[in-house]
Amino acid sequence: MPTDAHSVPLVRGLLRQALEHLAVPQTVIEEIVLALTEACANVVDHVHDQEAYQVEVSIDDELCRISVLDQGEGFDPGSVQTGGQPTDAERGRGLILMNALVDRLQFVQDDDGHHRVTFEKRLVPQQPHLRLLQS
């Protein structure tokens, strides 16, 4: 994808259509799409020297896994608090939001120099287990 603001709605729309086609619950779709928007917006906002970034999506019956790859400078995700307010009010809010929306969030620098944010979201909300009581 090109690193411009027009790429974000395009990839977001493609993912939304795929998830709707698979009859994923609307609340889950909204959470996944918002997390993807934040991941892509971070690349567009912070990777100025690169012409493109890559989005990989894998969907099966239970899980949606998304990776956003770029060749930017990267950052230390540990420098951003994920449980409350960011240390710098202007930065880190997207990471906090992503962490709250998805089931698993990971930041990695690949051996080839790419920076990768990968997140996973279950497609069916977890239901509490019910026990049948016998009298």
Side-chain angles (χ1 to χ4, degrees), residues 24-34 101 121 123 125:
V24 173
Q26 194 62 40
T27 56
V28 176
I29 292 173
E30 294 303 325
E31 291 172 348
I32 294 171
V33 169
L34 183 52
L101 292 169
K121 178 77 174 174
L123 297 180

Side-chain angles (χ1 to χ4, degrees), residues 94-108:
L95 300 179
I96 292 168
L97 183 59
M98 287 174 62
N99 195 53
L101 292 169
V102 302
D103 298 313
R104 182 171 177 253
L105 178 63
Q106 180 180 28
F107 297 88
V108 180

